[in-house]
Structures are given as structure tokens and as C-alpha cells.
């Protein structure tokens, strides 16, 4: 069992008098980690200590900060096995996927270490006897509040970008994956000056206390409800806010694609990581001409998935993060069936321990059902049959969210319409996942605001200053 300690102002083991959080393995319910809960007073002291460390870290040469981040990436790489095991134990992700997330996080740290020293300001063309330029500076203290579903990769993105641009960071991992956050923070801390990184643990109350403090940036990846609460808090304090929040990403299946191939794409998008991915396929609009074959293939694929504990080799579908979340997922499925939808496979609570939920396909869905309109975040594929590509595109665009969307089509004109018209941050044509390194997008609507990835994230953690210099008295230098 992991016993987590907090890091405040360069001191491990500080704080935590607010109680204890115990995390249970979602595969069998056994306790796997315990973490202290920071009090509001301890959060305030951590912010104060971070503020005291800002000047020295901001004055550190960009190349030196980048070198420190490279060393931090080395330290994380050295504990890849330990981080992988912690992710699987705390949130249930199959080991291969968990390792992939750790390796992605390490790559992100290295990417930012390489890019940051190259991203400078620019010179302006002013008067011949003056000097005008724009220069980026660190914003100061960053609160990074990260999720449980991909805890290493997401945290490395926010922490790496904030640290290498000269900010001091207060890291609050999800209360569902505190040991993963602790192991990551221990590795990073080895390569950083004392006080530049702090670790605070606990539940939503700790995140709320942190968002309400005198920090300069709050970066949050998680639910829309939490994101809105953070945005309200930062509106009072004046802190900049970066949010990547919930989504209900659509998949549009055109009439001219192979139904079996489309079903494989749909299954990958809906069932990977048990549907617990920010850009998972949450609703499917399939053209009537291919709907029957598509659904039959999707049902076969869902039924063939190998379910089991994430630590078992060969597991394709691990458990959900906990039973509370499973109740949410099952409640949406049950409500849809009660409202006339048809359960084709899955949709039943299994016997035994843990938070397992089967890959589920629901047909005869309507666009207005909560299962379709709201975020499910589970291994559920609701299918809506449409009579035209126009109808599918229109339904895909009609959402309170705007994170990502996928369109499967053989028509270039339909592909062009899709990326132009869909009001989301990321559009994928003929692949539910993938994309070139360095991609960055703005989520829309309830899905958040600001860049969350890519080189542009470095700019989010910097404040640009305009400088104008003239010789005194109107003379010349």
C-alpha cells in the first residue's frame, strides 16, 4: 500500500492535518493508497511559500530551466515501472495503456525542455532612435489540478510547460490517483530547486481552496462542473484560468464507408480505457444505409473484448475508476432503455467485487436522450440512425460541449465540411485517435478554454510585456 506525503515549500511530509483519503483498487476493492488531506490553512501556507520562490526561479536562465526539465524527465523515466503499477492499481487502466501514458508524459517533458528556450519575443520596428520589443515573462505561481483518467501524461504536460517557462507550481493530483501524483512529484523534485514544485493532496475541497488563493494561473483538466467552479473562483481573484473539461464527442459514420471498419473505429473510440478518455466516442450518428451492418459488427466487437483486472496481461477492458462512477454510467444506460432505447450487448452490472462494467451498445437512441447529450465517460456506445450526412453533421454540432469530433467518410467534400463546420477544438477524419506531435487546440463551450497541449501551452504560462526604450532627453545612445 502506498503512503503518500505532501511537499510544501521544499519540505516532504508537511501538512495533511485535514484527514486522510484512502483509494481502493477498482478491480477488487482492496485499499492501495492513503493520502493526507490539506487544510485551507495549509493551502494558504503552500501558496505563500511558492510566492517566495518565484523570483529566483524566474531569473534562472531559460537554458538552465530546460536542462532541469531534461533531468526531471530522466528521473521520471527511471520510475516508469513504479508509476505504471500505481496507475493500474489506483484507477484500473490495463498495464500496457498505463505504461503508454507514462511514456507519453516523459516525451512531453522532453518536448517542452527542447522548445522552451526557442520561444522568445519579437522586435518591433519603431523609431530609428528607439528600441521596441515584446518579451515573455513567467506569470508567477501556477496551480495545476489534474485528473485521474490519464494522470501522468496530463500532469507532465501542465507541470512541464509551467516549470520550464519559469513558474513555480502547486500540483494537486486527483484524489483518485494520489500515489501516482506523489511518485511523479518525487521524481520531478529530484531535478528541481527546493520550493519550485509543491504537492498538495485531498479532494475537491483542496482544489477549491487552491483555486481561491492568490495564484497567477489555475490550470485544470477534469469535469465541467469543477471547471466552472474554478472559473468562478478565478473571476474573483483575477488569476488566469486554463480549462480542459468534459465532452460528449460525436462520431459520424457516412454512407460510403465499410461498415466493419467503421465499427472497429467506433469500438476503439468508445471502449479504450473503458471509455474514460476525454476524447472518447460518446455518441454515434450512423447513416441508415450502413446502420444494420455497422451495429452488428460493433456488437460483435464489444462482446469479444477481454475484460479483467488491469494488472492481468491480455486485458482489453479494465474496471471503471470506482463504483460511484459505475453507478453514474449504469444510470444513464438504464434511463435510455426506460425511454425506449434498445440494449444490444452489455448494460448489466456484473456480480463480484470491483467496479467492472461491460462494453455496452445501445441502439434506437434519440438525439435528445441524456445518454447522448451528456457526458457518460464509460464503455458505452449509443447509436442514433440518421437519414443523411447533413443530419449527422447537424446532430454532431448540436451539443453543449466542444472538445473533439470524428467523421468517417470517403467523400473529400464531406470531410472539408466537417472540419470547417463542427464547433469543436479537434476534428479527426477517418481515425478516432491519432495526429501529428505538437498538436494544440482550443476547446469550445463547456469543454473549456485555452490551449492545453502543444507548443502553444508554453505561451499560456507566459505573460508578454511590451518594452519601449528611448535615449534620455531626446538624444542618442
Amino acid at each position: 500500500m502506498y503512503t503518500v506525503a505532501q511537499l510544501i515549500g521544499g519540505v516532504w511530509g508537511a501538512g495533511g492535518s485535514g484527514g486522510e483519503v484512502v483509494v481502493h483498487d477498482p478491480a477488487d476493492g482492496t485499499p492501495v493508497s492513503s493520502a493526507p488531506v490539506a487544510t485551507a490553512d495549509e493551502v494558504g501556507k503552500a501558496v505563500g511559500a511558492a510566492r517566495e520562490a518565484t523570483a529566483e526561479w524566474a531569473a534562472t536562465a531559460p537554458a538552465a530551466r530546460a536542462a532541469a526539465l531534461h533531468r526531471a524527465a530522466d528521473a521520471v523515466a527511471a520510475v516508469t515501472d513504479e508509476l505504471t503499477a500505481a496507475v493500474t492499481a489506483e484507477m484500473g487502466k490495463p498495464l500496457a495503456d498505463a505504461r503508454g501514458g507514462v511514456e507519453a508524459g516523459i516525451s512531453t517533458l522532453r518536448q517542452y525542455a527542447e522548445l522552451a528556450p526557442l520561444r522568445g519575443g519579437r522586435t518591433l520596428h519603431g523609431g530609428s532612435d528607439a528600441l521596441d520589443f515584446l518579451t515573455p515573462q513567467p506569470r508567477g505561481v501556477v496551480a495545476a489540478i489534474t485528473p485521474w483518467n490519464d494522470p501522468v501524461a496530463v500532469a507532465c504536460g501542465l507541470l512541464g510547460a509551467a516549470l520550464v517557462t519559469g513558474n513555480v507550481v502547486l500540483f494537486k493530483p486527483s484524489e483518485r490517483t494520489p500515489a501516482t501524483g506523489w511518485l511523479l512529484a518525487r521524481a520531478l523534485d529530484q531535478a528541481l530547486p527546493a520550493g519550485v514544485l509543491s504537492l498538495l493532496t485531498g479532494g475537491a475541497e483542496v482544489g477549491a481552496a487552491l483555486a481561491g488563493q492568490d495564484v497567477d494561473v489555475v490550470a485544470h483538466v477534469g469535469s465541467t462542473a469543477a471547471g466552472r467552479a474554478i472559473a468562478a473562483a478565478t473571476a474573483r481573484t483575477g488569476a488566469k484560468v486554463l480549462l480542459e473539461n468534459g465532452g460528449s464527442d460525436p462520431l459520424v459514420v457516412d454512407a460510403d464507408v465499410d461498415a466493419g471498419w467503421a465499427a472497429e473505429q467506433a469500438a476503439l473510440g468508445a471502449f479504450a480505457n473503458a471509455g474514460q478518455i476525454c476524447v472518447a466516442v460518446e455518441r454515434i450518428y450512423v447513416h441508415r444505409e450502413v446502420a444494420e451492418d455497422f451495429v452488428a459488427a460493433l456488437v460483435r466487437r464489444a462482446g469479444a473484448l477481454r475484460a479483467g483486472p488491469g494488472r492481468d496481461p491480455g486485458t482489453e477492458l479494465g474496471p471503471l475508476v470506482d463504483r460511484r462512477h459505475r453507478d453514474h454510467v449504469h444510470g444513464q444506460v438504464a434511463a435510455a432503455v426506460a425511454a425506449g432505447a434498445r440494449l444490444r450487448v452489455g448494460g448489466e452490472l456484473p456480480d463480484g467485487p470491483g467496479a467492472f462494467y461491460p462494453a455496452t451498445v445501445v441502439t434506437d437512441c434519440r438525439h435528445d436522450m441524456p445518454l447522448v447529450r451528456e457526458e457518460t465517460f464509460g464503455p458505452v456506445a449509443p447509436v442514433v440512425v440518421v437519414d443523411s450526412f447533413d443530419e449527422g453533421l447537424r446532430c454532431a454540432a448540436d451539443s453543449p460541449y466542444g472538445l473533439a469530433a470524428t467523421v468517417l467518410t470517403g467523400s473529400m467534400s464531406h470531410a472539408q465540411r466537417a472540419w470547417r463546420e463542427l464547433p469543436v477544438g479537434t476534428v479527426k477524419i477517418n481515425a478516432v485517435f491519432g495526429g501529428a506531435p505538437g498538436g494544440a487546440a482550443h476547446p469550445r463551450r463547456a469543454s473549456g478554454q485555452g490551449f492545453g497541449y502543444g507548443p502553444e501551452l508554453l505561451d499560456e504560462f507566459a505573460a508578454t510585456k511590451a518594452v519601449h526604450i528611448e535615449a534620455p532627453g531626446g538624444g542618442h545612445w
Side-chain angles (χ1 to χ4, degrees):
M1 185 166 174
Y2 302 99
T3 302
V4 173
Q6 295 191 130
L7 172 63
I8 298 176
V11 178
W12 280 103
S17 58
E20 180 187 43
V21 171
V22 177
V23 176
H24 295 84
D25 188 328
D28 58 19
T30 58
V32 294
S33 58
S34 66
V37 177
T39 65
D41 182 62
E42 290 165 356
V43 172
K45 290 179 179 177
V47 173
R51 185 68 66 189
E52 292 179 2
T54 55
E56 184 174 355
W57 185 237
T60 301
R65 295 198 299 258
L69 195 62
H70 268 306
R71 293 193 298 272
D74 292 339
V76 176
V79 294
T80 295
D81 290 345
E82 199 171 355
L83 277 167
T84 297
V87 171
T88 297
E90 289 193 309
M91 59 78 57
K93 182 179 289 195
L95 282 169
D97 292 345
R99 178 175 290 273
V102 175
E103 292 172 347
I106 295 165
S107 296
T108 299
L109 293 175
R110 298 199 191 283
Q111 178 190 66
Y112 287 142
E114 293 292 334
L115 290 174
L118 307 179
R119 294 181 77 83
R122 59 188 174 93
T123 301
L124 305 175
H125 296 294
S128 59
D129 58 349
L131 178 63
D132 292 87
F133 58 92
L134 304 179
T135 183
Q137 294 182 317
R139 288 187 173 271
V141 177
V142 172
I145 303 173
T146 62
W148 51 264
N149 62 313
D150 201 357
V152 178
V154 174
C156 283
L158 294 181
L159 300 181
L163 289 165
V164 80
T165 47
N167 299 281
V168 174
V169 177
L170 298 159
F171 173 32
K172 192 274 181 195
S174 169
E175 64 272 23
R176 284 166 161 155
T177 52
T180 303
W182 167 65
L183 291 170
L184 177 62
R186 283 201 318 178
L188 296 173
D189 182 55
Q190 296 174 27
L192 299 169
V196 169
L197 176 68
S198 290
L199 174 71
L200 295 166
T201 54
E205 72 281 5
V206 178
L210 190 52
Q213 282 286 332
D214 177 28
V215 298
D216 300 291
V217 181
V218 180
H220 171 256
V221 177
S223 72
T224 293
R228 285 174 171 163
I230 288 168
T234 57
R236 293 188 292 270
T237 65
K240 176 186 174 78
V241 62
L242 296 174
L243 302 173
E244 190 203 278
N245 296 150
S248 182
D249 288 1
L251 171 67
V252 179
V253 181
D254 208 350
D256 61 353
V257 301
D258 178 79
W261 167 77
E264 286 291 332
Q265 287 291 311
L268 176 63
F271 305 139
N273 197 27
Q276 300 169 124
I277 300 176
C278 298
V279 291
V281 169
E282 296 252 352
R283 49 196 173 109
I284 300 169
Y285 303 99
V286 58
H287 197 288
R288 190 173 300 278
E289 291 184 17
V290 295
E292 183 176 352
D293 290 343
F294 170 84
V295 169
L298 182 58
V299 168
R300 286 195 299 272
R301 182 68 186 108
L305 285 173
R306 296 189 299 275
R311 59 182 174 270
D312 290 353
T315 290
E316 295 177 283
L317 185 71
L320 297 179
V321 68
D322 58 31
R323 288 201 168 197
R324 181 182 66 177
H325 183 54
R326 186 177 74 170
D327 289 344
H328 159 75
V329 171
H330 185 61
Q332 282 197 346
V333 172
V337 173
R342 180 184 175 192
L343 195 62
R344 298 297 295 269
V345 66
E348 297 181 356
L349 292 175
D351 296 329
F356 291 95
Y357 199 76
T360 299
V361 178
V362 186
T363 59
D364 298 341
C365 292
R366 300 188 308 273
H367 178 61
D368 61 352
M369 286 179 169
L371 180 64
V372 177
R373 299 287 296 171
E374 299 174 7
E375 184 176 43
T376 304
F377 221 61
V380 180
V383 179
V384 179
V385 176
V386 295
D387 291 313
S388 66
F389 180 78
D390 284 354
E391 183 184 356
L393 203 62
R394 184 172 62 252
C395 289
D398 179 24
S399 173
Y401 299 103
L403 196 56
T406 303
V407 174
L408 306 181
T409 180
S411 165
M412 180 57 77
S413 64
H414 285 180
Q416 293 280 6
R417 282 190 57 199
W419 77 256
R420 292 182 188 277
E421 297 177 15
L422 288 170
V424 298
T426 300
V427 177
K428 296 161 286 183
I429 307 296
N430 295 332
V432 293
F433 299 133
H442 282 133
R444 317 284 178 88
R445 302 173 176 170
S447 292
Q449 62 187 59
F451 285 109
Y453 304 96
E456 287 77 7
L457 181 57
L458 296 168
D459 299 330
E460 295 281 12
F461 288 116
T464 300
K465 180 176 288 185
V467 180
H468 173 74
I469 302 175
E470 288 188 14
H476 298 282
W477 293 104

